[in-house]
């Protein structure tokens, strides 16, 4: 400047510029003349820019470097330069941002020096203590160790569970096996005695115990029926009725046992007139019943003695009404028929014929469409107890892949068997069924199948799973078993093995109705009866062996080489063009043909027989009437013997009849216990679940801790501190999404099992919620503590120290736990409200976005738009965030530190205390739970 003044005042004139060019000197002014005066003036009044890069930061050796990396001017004490001049190069066009960043760095450097200076002061709150381990370091280590221990424990548990179960199963198995053998021996002896009893040879040797084991209510009932028949038919009964009664009395199917002996008996019988025999004759024949051969399975004691039960259905029609057009579509047309006890009936028909629909109607599991007509079970209308006496095995097998065969059957045994059944009895029943189904050797294998995470567990084959499904259906000792598409999806051998098992069950008195597709000849032969449907009409019902004969009589020729089932299906399918070269000229081609055949069958002798059989059944009045009968028998000449025999029969019948009741639901406590155990097993054994939820949660806590590691307590880190709190909140809301697929996966079990009346919604819901809650709380405990100590949260505790009556850490943990379980519940609720996983995910994600927008972190609540402001009250994230922020900054002095006003303004006018925010979260927790339970109970009904 001095030179500038000199140039203007002197050099320009010397250079010949006219003095008229210079009007007046304004600056530094005429009073400043000498060099010394000019210099003094400069010192007093002037200022100037540091042009970019004129005071660059660099190494001391660099001759152009002016500043060290802490912005200090080399060689000068207490002088720093912070502006654009510090850059070694011009940092681009828009220089403001680099300058801001540089300023921040400079302020941190200055701050750090100030902290150094105040370190010894008693007011210094810095935790940047280099001596020894700092708090956040300890936090990180403890947190890390905790996370590691948690992880290791969970994995260890998952692994050890396998070994423990193996050992336990082996012990129990040995015990059960011993009991089973003993029981079998006892039954064997008892069965022998019983055969003798029927022969009246050694009746004195029978004690009531053995009788109780072996006499079924059917026996009592069959006798009652005869008494009734006698009354209504002048003492005469029809021959086939007699055969059926003898069959029912012995619990052995007509064709297998009774046919040989009794047919012969009846044929030899001189007193039978017109195919009728008198009651006296019947009693005589019954006493000669001794010659009945007892099937192996029955003699060796492994039989199950099902309660013989029959089904009569009359004029069943079913219409579906289209909700839009209100048009009605008839799917079943006036079906009438009869299914005898202990028989195996194939429900046959081409695709769309109405097989599954009919099976659902018969099994009382149809809850869509308008059904008319009636179904009688042992002559009585069905009521809700029908669910208890029948089992329905759906087409798809549904098991948790991670559980063992034994666990599956025990699960059903506990839920299905009577409360007073001892554990030993349960084991025995399971063993017996597993033996029957050929699964005993796989008892410790996992069921197997794909897990929701995509991992596939190795386990049983398709056929074995099918048999296991049947075992589960049979545990409750049902009287009727419904099977849908029993062999579909199985290879020939597996199908045959499944069918053999079913055949054995029918032999033991179980009534079986099975829809089946294209049975091979060997399977076809196993069925006693066939019920053929075509376009919802009954084409034939009766002996499987006589089906082709019936259609021949209608004029449809058969190929003797063909499988009869193929013939029946080919004949009655009309939905496609039938080439005469393949199907012949005489086959059904139009709906009229089908209708004509159905009409012919309705008028046939077969139908008359079905109705007669039903009439016989209608006389059945159950066990109680046996008492009346007993009085009658009391007048008999063998009164003494008969009455004592009948008393025992009745006693045992009562016990057995009681057994039918046993199939009611287990007590609520048992249901809850079993479901709790299953939920824990399912949780622990599913590696996807363990990884997704335990490891991930621990990992995210650790990573958040690392990202915000050891935050400074000064206002410059205020935003980071708020950010860390917000981020943690978001994590605990987002993490539950990892298990959405598990909720959805589990839902199908609930639908299936609750439809089978296995348990109540409340037991299922509470058991699962309790497990979820525990695991979630454990997850948060690990992950949030790791993050808390690593970040060095708990400012408020530092500020207030002993003055504070709450411990910041515990409050923080409580809020985070509440948030996580509320978040989890929200995801569950979405899973329950929506029909599929994608929609549940969309709903959940939408809600979480809303929660985030109105969390109070991204937009300060006072800035919320008036129209949408109310939405903040739906954001449970807001309450958790407000809670942790208030907890963190309590006692932060707003007067001494203006930054606190930001927090005050932003967080949160309503509610204003940490405790109140927690109460609101608790409110969310209960509301979500109630909603989820209602959805589970009312939305998740199986629709058929
Ligand atoms: N909910 C429904 N609403 C309207 N029509 C239905 C409904 N369910 C089934 N149907 C119709 O009822 C008829 C019989 O169906 P069903 O499932 O009983 O046949 P199916 O004999 O079991 O066949 P498949 O062998 O293919 O299993 C079909 O024409 C089907 O389209
Ligand atoms: Mg079907």
């Amino acid at each position: 400047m001095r030179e500038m003044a000199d140039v203007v005042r002197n050099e320009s004139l010397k250079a010949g510029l006219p003095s008229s060019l210079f009007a007046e000197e304004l600056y530094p002014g005429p009073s400043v003349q000498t060099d010394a005066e000019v210099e003094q003036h400069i010192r007093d009044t002037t200022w100037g820019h540091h042009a970019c890069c004129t005071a660059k930061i660099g190494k001391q050796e660099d001759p152009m470097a002016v500043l060290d990396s802490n912005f200090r001017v080399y060689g000068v004490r207490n002088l720093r330069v912070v502006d654009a001049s510090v850059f070694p190069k011009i940092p681009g066009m828009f220089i403001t941002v680099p300058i801001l960043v540089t300023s921040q760095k400079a302020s941190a450097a200055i701050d750090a020096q100030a902290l150094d200076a105040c370190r010894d002061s008693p007011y210094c709150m810095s935790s940047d203590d280099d001596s020894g381990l700092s708090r956040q370091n300890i936090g990180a280590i403890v947190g890390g160790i905790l996370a590691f221990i948690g992880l290791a424990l969970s994995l260890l548990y998952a692994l050890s569970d396998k070994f423990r179960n193996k050992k336990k199963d082996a012990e129990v198995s040995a015990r059960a096996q011993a009991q089973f053998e003993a029981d079998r021996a006892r039954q064997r002896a008892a069965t022998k005695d019983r055969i003798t009893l029927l022969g009246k040879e050694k009746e004195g040797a029978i004690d009531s115990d053995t009788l109780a084991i072996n006499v079924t209510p059917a026996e009592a009932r069959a006798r009652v029926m005869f008494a009734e028949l006698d009354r209504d038919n002048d003492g005469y009964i029809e021959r086939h009725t007699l055969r059926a009664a003898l069959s029912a009395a012995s619990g052995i199917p007509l064709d297998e046992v009774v046919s040989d002996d009794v047919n012969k008996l009846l044929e030899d019988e001189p007193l039978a007139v017109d195919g009728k025999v008198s009651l006296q004759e019947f009693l005589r024949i019954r006493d000669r019943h001794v010659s009945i051969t007892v099937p192996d399975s029955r003699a060796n004691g492994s039989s199950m003695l099902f309660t013989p039960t029959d089904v009569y259905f009359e004029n069943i029609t079913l219409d579906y009404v289209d909700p839009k057009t209100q048009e009605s579509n008839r799917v079943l047309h006036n079906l009438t028929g009869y299914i005898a006890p202990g028989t195996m009936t194939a429900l046959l028909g081409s695709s769309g014929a109405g097989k599954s629909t009919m099976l659902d109607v018969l099994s009382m599991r149809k809850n869509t469409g308008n059904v008319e007509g009636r179904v009688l079970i042992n002559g009585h209308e069905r009521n809700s107890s029908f669910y208890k006496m029948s089992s329905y095995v759906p087409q798809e097998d549904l098991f948790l892949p991670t559980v063992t065969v034994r666990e599956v059957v025990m699960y059903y045994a506990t839920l299905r068997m009577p409360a007073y059944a001892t554990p030993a009895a349960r084991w025995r029943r399971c063993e017996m069924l597993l033996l029957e189904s050929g699964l005993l050797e796989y008892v410790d294998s996992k069921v197997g199948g794909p897990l929701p995470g995509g991992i596939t567990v190795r386990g049983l084959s398709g056929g074995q799973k099918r048999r296991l499904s049947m075992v589960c259906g049979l545990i409750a000792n049902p009287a009727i078993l419904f099977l849908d598409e029993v062999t579909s999806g199985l290879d020939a051998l597996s199908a045959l093995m499944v069918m053999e098992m079913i055949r054995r069950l029918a032999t033991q008195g179980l009534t079986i109705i099975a829809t089946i597709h294209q049975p091979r000849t060997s399977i076809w032969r196993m069925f006693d009866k066939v019920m053929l449907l075509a376009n919802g009409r009954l084409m034939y019902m009766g002996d499987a062996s006589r089906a082709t004969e019936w259609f021949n009589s209608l004029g449809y020729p058969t190929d003797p080489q063909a499988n009869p089932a193929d013939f029946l299906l080919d004949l009655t399918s009309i939905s496609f063009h039938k080439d005469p070269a393949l199907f012949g000229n005489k086959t059904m081609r139009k709906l009229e043909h089908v209708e004509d055949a159905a009409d012919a069958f309705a008028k046939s002798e077969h139908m008359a027989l079905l109705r007669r059989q039903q009439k016989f059944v209608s006389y059945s009045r159950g066990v109680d009437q046996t008492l009346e009968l007993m009085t009658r028998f009391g007048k008999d000449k063998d009164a003494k013997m008969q009455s004592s025999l009948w008393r025992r029969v009745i006693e045992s019948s009562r016990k057995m009849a009681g057994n039918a009741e046993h199939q009611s639901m287990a007590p609520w406590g048992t249901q809850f216990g079993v479901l709790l155990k299953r939920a824990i097993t399912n949780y622990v054994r599913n590696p996807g679940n363990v990884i997704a939820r335990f490891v991930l949660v621990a990992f995210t806590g650790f990573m958040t801790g690392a990202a915000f590691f050891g935050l400074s307590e000064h206002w410059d880190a205020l935003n980071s501190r708020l950010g860390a709190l917000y981020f943690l909140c978001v994590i605990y809301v987002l993490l539950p999404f990892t298990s959405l697929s598990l909720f959805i996966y589990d839902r199908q079990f609930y639908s299936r099992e609750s439809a089978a009346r296995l348990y109540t919604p409340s037991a299922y819901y509470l058991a699962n919620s309790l497990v979820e809650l525990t695991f979630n709380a454990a997850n948060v405990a690990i992950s949030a503590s790791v993050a808390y100590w690593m970040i060095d949260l708990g400012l408020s505790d530092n500020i207030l120290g002993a003055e504070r009556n709450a411990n910041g850490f515990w409050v923080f943990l409580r809020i985070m736990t509440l948030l996580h379980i509320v978040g989890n519940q929200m995801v569950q609720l979405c899973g329950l409200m929506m029909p599929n996983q994608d929609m549940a995910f969309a709903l959940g994600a939408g809600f979480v976005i809303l929660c985030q927008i109105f969390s109070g972190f991204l937009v300060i609540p006072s800035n919320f738009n008036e129209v949408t402001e109310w939405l903040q009250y739906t954001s449970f994230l807001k309450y958790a965030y407000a809670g942790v922020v208030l907890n963190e900054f309590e006692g932060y002095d707003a007067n001494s530190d203006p930054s606190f006003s930001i927090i005050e303004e932003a967080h949160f006018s309503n509610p204003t205390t940490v405790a109140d925010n927690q109460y609101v979260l608790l409110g969310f927790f209960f509301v979500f739970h109630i909603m989820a339970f209602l959805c589970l109970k009312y939305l998740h009904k199986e629709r058929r």
Side-chain angles (χ1 to χ4, degrees), residues 251-487:
I252 298 164
L254 213 99
D255 296 351
E256 287 227 349
V257 183
V258 182
S259 54
D260 291 347
D261 284 335
V262 178
N263 269 347
K264 202 145 81 25
L265 211 63
L266 287 174
E267 252 123 61
D268 295 346
E269 194 48 68
L271 290 178
V273 182
D274 293 339
K276 291 183 174 183
V277 283
S278 72
L279 180 70
Q280 268 65 32
E281 275 319 303
F282 163 66
L283 289 175
R284 202 164 65 75
I285 295 164
R286 191 202 59 190
D287 288 345
R288 286 168 62 188
H289 199 218
V290 63
S291 61
I292 286 177
T293 36
V294 177
D296 279 355
S297 58
R298 187 166 286 264
N300 71 20
S302 70
S303 75
M304 272 163 279
L305 298 173
F306 297 102
T307 309
T309 303
D310 60 11
V311 184
Y312 175 70
F313 52 93
E314 195 171 51
N315 298 332
I316 300 287
T317 33
L318 186 133
D319 299 288
Y320 286 117
V321 180
D322 190 318
K324 281 189 198 138
T325 59
Q326 292 300 315
E327 270 176 31
S328 169
N329 171 23
R330 182 152 291 190
V331 171
L332 299 178
H333 298 253
N334 256 338
L335 305 184
T336 300
Y338 172 74
I339 295 157
T343 54
M344 187 167 150
T345 305
L347 195 44
L348 204 68
S350 54
S351 192
K355 303 183 294 292
S356 302
T357 311
M358 185 58 189
L359 198 71
D360 288 346
V361 170
L362 289 180
S363 63
M364 220 165 124
R365 277 147 180 97
K366 187 100 217 146
N367 50 23
T368 57
N370 301 329
V371 187
E372 275 168 34
R374 59 177 193 154
V375 179
L376 301 180
I377 304 296
N378 281 348
H380 298 284
E381 291 281 348
R382 295 175 303 181
N383 54 25
S384 65
S385 71
F386 178 71
Y387 291 112
K388 301 172 194 165
M389 64 178 299
S390 66
S391 272
Y392 181 98
V393 179
Q395 187 181 348
E396 309 82 35
D397 305 305
L398 190 61
F399 298 108
L400 286 175
T402 47
V403 294
T404 64
V405 169
R406 186 188 298 284
E407 281 165 345
V408 171
V409 287
M410 277 313 283
Y411 171 73
Y412 277 87
T414 318
L415 288 176
R416 281 292 205 166
M417 286 181 72
Y420 59 76
T422 58
R426 288 176 212 274
W427 275 114
R428 244 186 348 264
R429 176 136 193 95
C430 292
E431 295 281 318
M432 190 189 277
L433 284 165
L434 289 169
L435 185 80
E436 222 23 81
S437 61
L439 288 174
L440 201 55
E441 58 186 293
Y442 301 98
V443 77
D444 294 321
S445 316
K446 290 233 169 91
V447 174
L451 288 171
I455 304 167
T456 300
V457 181
R458 278 154 57 98
L460 300 185
S461 71
Q464 288 167 336
K465 276 190 195 160
R466 211 79 263 268
R467 279 181 274 153
L468 183 59
S469 284
M470 268 166 235
V471 168
C472 296
L474 290 168
I475 279 179
N477 202 14
I480 312 175
L481 184 66
F482 296 98
L483 302 163
D484 196 11
E485 300 289 349
V486 63
T487 55

Side-chain angles (χ1 to χ4, degrees), residues 143-144 146-148 150-151 154 683 688-705 727-728 730-739 772 774-788 790 813 816-817 820-821 824:
L146 259 176
F148 180 76
L151 186 65
S154 63
Y683 207 104
N689 202 356
V690 174
I691 289 167
R693 308 185 69 177
F694 228 81
V695 179
L696 185 65
V697 168
F699 176 75
T700 41
F702 187 78
M703 286 313 290
T704 318
F727 187 63
L728 281 169
V730 171
I731 286 178
Y732 295 125
V733 175
L734 290 183
L735 281 173
F737 279 89
T738 53
S739 33
E772 276 293 322
T774 316
F775 276 89
N776 285 332
N779 279 342
V780 179
I782 290 184
S783 127
S785 3
V786 171
Y788 188 89
M790 282 176 78
L813 205 58
M816 286 306 181
T817 310
H820 190 45
I821 57 181
N824 198 62

